[in-house]
Amino acid sequence: MTETADSITETTAAQPLSTPMTIGVDAYVSAEYARAEGDKLWAKVWQQVCRVEELPRVGDFLTYDILDDSIIVVRTAPDTLRAYHNVCAHRGRRLVDTPPGAHDAHGQRKQFVCGFHGWRYDLEGRNTFVPERGDWTCGLTERNDGLPPVRIDTWGGWVWINLDSSCEPLRDYLEPAASLLDPFHLENMRYRWRRWLTFDCNWKVAFEAFMETYHVPYTHPEFMNFGNFLGWGRAQGRHSNIGYDAPKGMEENQGKLRIGAGPDARISTAQLQNFTWENANTNTTETMVEVANRLADELPADTPPDQVMRYWLDTCRREDAERGVVWPTVDPDIVAKSGTAWQIFPNFQIGHALNNMLCYRFRPYGYDPDKCIFEAAVFELFPPGAEPETEWIYTPVGDPGWRTVLPQDFDNMAAVQQGMKSHGFSGPKPNPYRERTIVNLHHNLAKYMGTGAPTDLERPE
C-alpha cells in the first residue's frame, strides 16, 4: 500500500511529537553530558540484564556493568533471583572480576569471596566471615558489612535491575509495551545466536540506527525488491514502537512475518525468506524458509497474496506444532498495534514476532561519548530441551559472522558520529512520521538529564 502525504498528515495529526523538530548534538558528542548520564540516567532507570534461563540453578550468577557500577545477579533459590552491587564492603574491591575481553563474568558459586582480604558473603548477600572481626569492636553489623541490594524483577523472560531503590515497579515502567507484548509470550523464546562488539559511536547513535524504517530503502535497497518496507513510528510514553502498514484484509502483514510483493507472492515470499536467512540470519526460522520454498509447488500460480500469506503462516504454525513448537495466537488488532519492534527506554529494542525475535541493547563504553557497546541477539521458539547452547561472541566490524545486512547499518553509525561534530551540522531533524521514535527518545532523555529537549524546527522566512 502506498501512503500519500494526506494520509500521513491525517495519521500523525493526533499523535504526540508529530511536528517537525530538531535535536541538539550535546547528547551525542559532549563528554560532560556522557558523564552526567551516570547519575541522572543510568542510576534511575530499569535496565535489561539477561534472560532468566541463563541462571537456571541455585548459585548461578552473572555480572552486568554500566559505567562505574557493576552488579551481580544470582539465583538464590529455585524461584528467587537477587542482585547486589559487585563490591566488597571492606575496601571496595570488586568481588567478581570480568575476564579481559569478556562480555561479562558468570558461573556457579556457593559464596562470594573478596580476593583482597578474604571477606565472604553468602548468596543472600550476608557477610559470613571477616578475618579478625573482633578488631572492629562491634563496629561491623548487618547494616554495613553485607552486599548492598539492587532492585530486581523479571518480565518477558528477561531479568531487569534498577539502581534506584525508590523506583517505580518494573511493570508500571514498561507500560504500554508490556501489555501489548504479553500476548506474544516472549518468555518462551530462547537464544539462537548472540553477538557483541564495541563501536565507534555514541550509544544513542547506535540505537537510533535501528529504531526507524525510514532508512530501509536507502541503507538496505535490496529489500525493496520484496515490497514496501516503509512504516510508522509512534511515541508510547517513555517508550516507542515502529511498524508497517498493510493492505486491507492482510492485517497479519503488519507484523514481522511478511510475504513478498510482486506478481507472484509465492515466488517473492520464498526469495525474501531465502535472502533474509542468508544475509541477515534474523527475523525468520528454518521452518518458515522451508515452507516458503514449497509455496510454488503447493499453491496455484494465481493464488491471491492474502491467501498465500495465510497458507504460509498456517502451514508453518502446523508443522512447528508437530515438532513441539507452539506459536502463540495473537489477535490481529494486537499485532497491528504492537508493530514490529519496541524501543524500551532508554537502551533496549525488542523486535518481536510470533515465533522469533531480534533484540538489541546499547550501552555507553565508559564515559567516552564516541564509543559504545552494541549487542544483538536472535531468539526463536524451540522444542523443549532442543534449545541450542549459545554464548556472547565478540564479533568485530568486518567479521563475516554479521553477514551482509547489519554491516550496512554499521557503516552509517560511525559516519554519523563523525558528522555530528561538523561545524556545518545544526543537529538531527527526524522525519515527523517515520522517525518520531528518535524525537521521543530525546524527549524522555531530557526529563532525566534536564537538558537536550527537542525543539520545533523553525520554518524558513
Side-chain angles (χ1 to χ4, degrees):
M1 182 175 74
T2 302
E3 295 162 340
T4 66
D6 289 342
S7 67
I8 290 176
T9 300
E10 291 172 2
T11 303
T12 62
Q15 296 287 334
L17 306 177
S18 59
T19 58
M21 306 191 86
T22 186
I23 301 165
V25 299
D26 279 357
Y28 306 98
V29 303
S30 166
E32 181 181 355
Y33 185 103
R35 182 157 291 278
E37 285 180 343
D39 291 331
K40 295 184 177 181
L41 178 68
W42 301 112
K44 303 293 184 182
V45 295
W46 282 98
Q47 301 174 59
Q48 181 271 120
V49 171
C50 65
R51 294 290 289 181
V52 173
E53 62 268 16
E54 292 182 69
L55 304 169
R57 302 170 300 165
V58 173
D60 285 346
F61 77 93
L62 56 74
T63 59
Y64 172 77
D65 293 349
I66 185 71
L67 296 179
D68 292 329
D69 284 292
S70 181
I71 308 302
I72 298 172
V73 177
V74 59
R75 183 170 292 281
T76 61
D79 60 350
T80 305
L81 293 167
R82 297 192 187 279
Y84 310 104
H85 286 277
N86 179 19
V87 59
C88 179
H90 174 216
R91 293 273 294 279
R93 191 202 191 285
R94 286 192 174 183
L95 290 171
V96 180
D97 296 321
T98 301
H103 179 269
D104 55 58
H106 54 272
Q108 233 275 339
R109 294 191 183 179
K110 295 181 179 179
Q111 62 179 347
F112 296 98
V113 181
C114 180
F116 197 179
H117 295 90
W119 285 35
R120 300 176 189 174
Y121 305 86
D122 65 17
L123 298 183
E124 301 293 333
R126 295 178 296 238
N127 186 305
T128 59
F129 176 74
V130 174
E132 304 169 39
R133 177 183 281 272
D135 291 350
W136 274 264
T137 61
C138 300
L140 293 179
T141 70
E142 290 184 359
R143 292 181 295 103
N144 59 28
D145 70 356
L147 299 183
V150 173
R151 286 285 297 273
I152 186 170
D153 204 345
T154 62
W155 171 83
W158 286 284
V159 178
W160 306 72
I161 60 98
N162 196 316
L163 301 180
D164 181 2
S165 60
S166 61
C167 65
E168 66 184 302
L170 174 64
R171 181 76 192 200
D172 295 345
Y173 180 90
L174 291 175
E175 291 296 355
S179 290
L180 282 169
L181 289 176
D182 278 345
F184 291 85
H185 292 289
L186 305 182
E187 67 276 6
N188 294 330
M189 303 275 190
R190 296 293 181 266
Y191 288 118
R192 180 155 65 82
W193 61 258
R194 41 181 165 155
R195 299 182 182 275
W196 72 289
L197 54 72
T198 55
F199 210 84
D200 292 330
C201 69
N202 190 271
W203 66 270
K204 292 173 285 292
V205 167
F207 197 176
E208 291 166 15
F210 298 97
M211 64 165 60
E212 44 86 2
T213 60
Y214 189 40
H215 73 284
V216 173
Y218 317 104
T219 299
H220 313 294
E222 57 271 48
F223 276 104
M224 301 313 291
N225 296 324
F226 309 113
N228 182 356
F229 284 83
L230 297 177
W232 46 262
R234 294 173 185 155
Q236 301 279 4
R238 62 164 57 92
H239 315 297
S240 60
N241 66 337
I242 58 176
Y244 300 103
D245 293 321
K248 187 175 181 179
M250 294 177 62
E251 284 73 20
E252 299 96 328
N253 219 29
Q254 293 181 85
K256 190 158 281 188
L257 309 183
R258 299 171 62 82
I259 63 168
D264 191 332
R266 306 170 309 158
I267 303 301
S268 59
T269 298
Q271 292 172 337
L272 172 58
Q273 287 295 302
N274 288 323
F275 178 86
T276 303
W277 182 260
E278 294 167 6
N279 293 279
N281 200 16
T282 64
N283 298 335
T284 190
T285 68
E286 275 193 86
T287 298
M288 300 193 71
V289 174
E290 291 173 359
V291 174
N293 284 325
R294 300 189 335 240
L295 291 174
D297 296 327
E298 297 178 1
L299 292 174
D302 59 351
T303 304
D306 62 325
Q307 293 183 28
V308 173
M309 175 75 168
R310 293 192 177 96
Y311 178 86
W312 176 49
L313 293 182
D314 288 348
T315 303
C316 291
R317 181 186 288 268
R318 184 183 69 253
E319 294 189 4
D320 266 356
E322 290 171 355
R323 65 187 187 94
V325 174
V326 179
W327 296 17
T329 298
V330 184
D331 187 277
D333 184 57
I334 297 297
V335 173
K337 289 180 179 178
S338 64
T340 59
W342 279 84
Q343 296 76 46
I344 304 299
F345 184 83
N347 67 324
F348 184 45
Q349 177 154 303
I350 303 171
H352 60 286
L354 294 174
N355 62 350
N356 73 92
M357 62 181 171
L358 168 62
C359 296
Y360 303 118
R361 183 171 64 181
F362 313 85
R363 285 185 286 166
Y365 184 83
Y367 291 101
D368 185 346
D370 294 326
K371 294 181 73 69
C372 71
I373 299 169
F374 170 79
E375 300 157 333
V378 165
F379 297 79
E380 190 177 321
L381 291 174
F382 293 98
E387 305 88 351
E389 290 200 13
T390 68
E391 60 183 14
W392 284 107
I393 300 174
Y394 186 82
T395 311
V397 173
D399 189 292
W402 289 116
R403 306 293 176 94
T404 64
V405 174
L406 279 173
Q408 294 171 332
D409 295 296
F410 296 169
D411 288 345
N412 290 331
M413 288 150 59
V416 165
Q417 187 69 20
Q418 292 175 329
M420 288 279 185
K421 300 177 181 181
S422 169
H423 288 98
F425 183 63
S426 60
K429 306 160 191 67
N431 183 312
Y433 180 63
R434 307 198 190 284
E435 298 181 298
R436 192 178 310 152
T437 50
I438 295 173
V439 174
N440 194 52
L441 172 64
H442 289 266
H443 173 73
N444 284 291
L445 279 171
K447 294 180 180 179
Y448 286 83
M449 300 296 296
T451 186
T455 57
D456 291 332
L457 186 62
E458 295 182 1
R459 295 179 180 272
E461 295 296 334

